């Protein structure tokens, strides 16, 4: 099997997963293989039923993924990674990307509540992302594909994580409400202004150039086919795969540095 967790990666995950064991029912016999099965599904984009027997029974791995997702384990892991303060977070950036949804993703009750937008091209969802200066995820949010960028700002900031002194974003976030909110937070929003503004505040090209880190983060996330295309009916399951992939990006970053 390719891309299985290294021993160093597992050292990070192990205490969190064992601490979130089920209150009832049979616990997984091998948390490590179960988590690797989650990573395999995220990376390949394969249906759960095609999970190789190496990882165990597909239905057991799927149920554990859902259990960890519903328990908020991925949220806890992301919070722990950000709370470690091992990466500078003074400069942060936000952006979004549209994800094409497979037709099999439709069918849940109330598609709009599940983050599915309808357009002439089909179903779409949008991933809103906030990262630190190294392009590592701080906060994630899922919405319908047609949701404007500035509406995705508040959920990303309410998600928590460290405060930014400088927030970088493109013109899609050029709104007085965002600039005022950053000022209240003790930071500064470095966002290029639209041409119809009466007064244009210039941006520092050198600092603003760091915004490419959030684009790089999206590229890394989309290497996971279960993120690049949405197959999940529920927004929570799709968010779970985005979070799982984000956490793996974080952990690989630390492992490669040591």
């Amino acid at each position: 099997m390719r891309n299985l967790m290294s021993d160093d990666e597992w050292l990070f995950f192990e205490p969190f997963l064992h601490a979130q064991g089920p209150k009832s029912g049979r616990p997984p016999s091998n948390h490590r293989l179960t988590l690797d099965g989650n990573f395999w599904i995220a990376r390949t984009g394969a249906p759960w039923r095609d999970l190789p027997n190496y990882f165990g029974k597909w239905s057991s791995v799927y149920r554990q993924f859902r259990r960890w997702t519903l328990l908020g384990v991925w949220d806890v892991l992301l919070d722990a990674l950000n709370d470690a303060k091992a990466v500078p977070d003074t400069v942060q950036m936000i952006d979004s990307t549209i994800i094409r949804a497979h037709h099999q993703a439709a069918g849940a009750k109330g598609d709009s509540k599940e983050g599915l937008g309808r357009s002439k091209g089909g179903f779409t969802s949008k991933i809103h992302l906030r990262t630190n200066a190294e392009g590592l995820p701080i906060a994630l949010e899922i919405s319908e594909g047609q949701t404007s960028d500035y509406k995705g700002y508040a959920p990303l900031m309410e998600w928590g994580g460290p405060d930014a002194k400088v927030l970088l974003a493109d013109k899609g976030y050029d709104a007085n409400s965002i600039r005022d909110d950053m000022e209240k937070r003790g930071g500064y929003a470095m966002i290029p202004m639209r041409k119809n503004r009466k007064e244009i505040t210039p941006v520092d090209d050198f600092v603003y150039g760091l915004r490419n880190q959030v684009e790089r983060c999206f590229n890394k996330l989309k290497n996971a086919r279960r993120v690049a295309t949405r197959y999940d009916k529920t927004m929570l399951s799709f968010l779970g795969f985005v979070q799982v992939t984000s956490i793996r990006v974080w952990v690989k970053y630390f492992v490669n540095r040591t």
Side-chain angles (χ1 to χ4, degrees):
M1 285 294 169
R2 296 191 302 116
N3 292 333
L4 297 181
M5 279 184 292
S6 66
D7 291 339
D8 290 333
E9 288 182 86
W10 175 239
L11 282 176
F12 168 75
F13 288 107
E14 185 176 14
F16 291 95
L17 300 186
H18 282 294
Q20 298 291 340
K23 295 180 180 179
S24 62
R26 181 183 299 176
S29 58
N30 191 324
H31 280 288
R32 182 171 180 172
L33 268 183
T34 301
L35 183 59
D36 264 326
N38 291 174
F39 289 145
W40 189 90
I41 290 290
R43 179 174 59 82
T44 64
W48 281 104
R49 291 178 182 273
D50 291 342
L51 183 73
N53 293 331
Y54 173 84
F55 299 106
K57 193 175 180 180
W58 73 266
S59 56
S60 298
V61 178
Y62 164 74
R63 282 196 296 270
Q64 189 60 44
F65 168 77
R66 285 289 297 173
R67 184 180 292 118
W68 283 333
T69 300
L70 293 171
L71 285 172
V73 173
W74 314 131
D75 297 322
V76 173
L77 287 166
L78 271 178
D79 287 342
L81 289 163
N82 280 288
D83 289 343
K85 301 294 184 183
V87 180
D89 49 38
T90 302
V91 176
Q92 297 178 16
M93 51 215 74
I94 57 176
D95 205 352
S96 67
T97 187
I98 293 177
I99 301 296
R100 182 73 64 188
H102 195 273
H103 68 86
Q104 292 179 347
K109 293 183 178 179
D111 286 341
S112 61
K113 296 180 180 180
E114 299 297 343
L116 281 174
R118 296 174 182 269
S119 66
K120 291 182 179 179
F123 294 102
T124 56
S125 293
K126 181 176 279 190
I127 300 175
H128 302 269
L129 174 65
R130 174 175 155 218
T131 74
N132 58 30
E134 292 290 335
L136 299 171
I138 294 176
L140 295 151
E141 190 68 29
I142 306 297
S143 71
E144 298 89 346
Q146 71 271 17
T147 304
S148 61
D149 286 345
Y150 71 86
K151 286 186 177 180
Y153 167 82
L156 288 178
M157 304 307 289
E158 292 170 0
W159 217 81
D163 290 329
K165 295 300 181 183
V166 179
L167 183 72
L168 308 179
D170 61 24
K171 290 183 180 180
Y173 296 89
D174 180 21
N176 291 334
S177 58
I178 292 178
R179 299 178 189 276
D180 293 342
D181 182 69
M182 278 302 299
E183 188 174 345
K184 291 178 182 178
R185 295 173 182 270
Y188 174 74
M190 188 174 291
I191 304 172
M193 292 184 167
R194 295 186 175 92
K195 293 181 180 180
N196 60 357
R197 288 271 193 174
K198 292 182 178 180
E199 295 183 6
I200 303 296
T201 302
V203 299
D204 186 310
D205 291 338
F206 177 78
V207 177
Y208 188 73
L210 296 174
R211 201 186 69 81
N212 73 88
Q213 290 290 351
V214 70
E215 302 288 352
R216 294 183 184 186
C217 184
F218 275 129
N219 286 338
K220 292 175 182 176
L221 295 179
K222 288 183 178 181
N223 283 333
R225 296 185 178 184
R226 198 88 183 205
V227 175
T229 301
R230 174 174 171 173
Y231 296 99
D232 299 280
K233 292 181 183 294
T234 66
M235 182 169 61
L236 188 60
S237 287
F238 180 58
L239 177 60
F241 277 117
V242 180
Q243 290 176 318
V244 162
T245 306
S246 299
I247 293 165
R248 191 87 191 271
V249 170
W250 261 99
V251 176
K252 282 187 174 182
Y253 172 85
F254 283 124
V255 171
N256 291 336
R257 288 188 65 185
T258 56

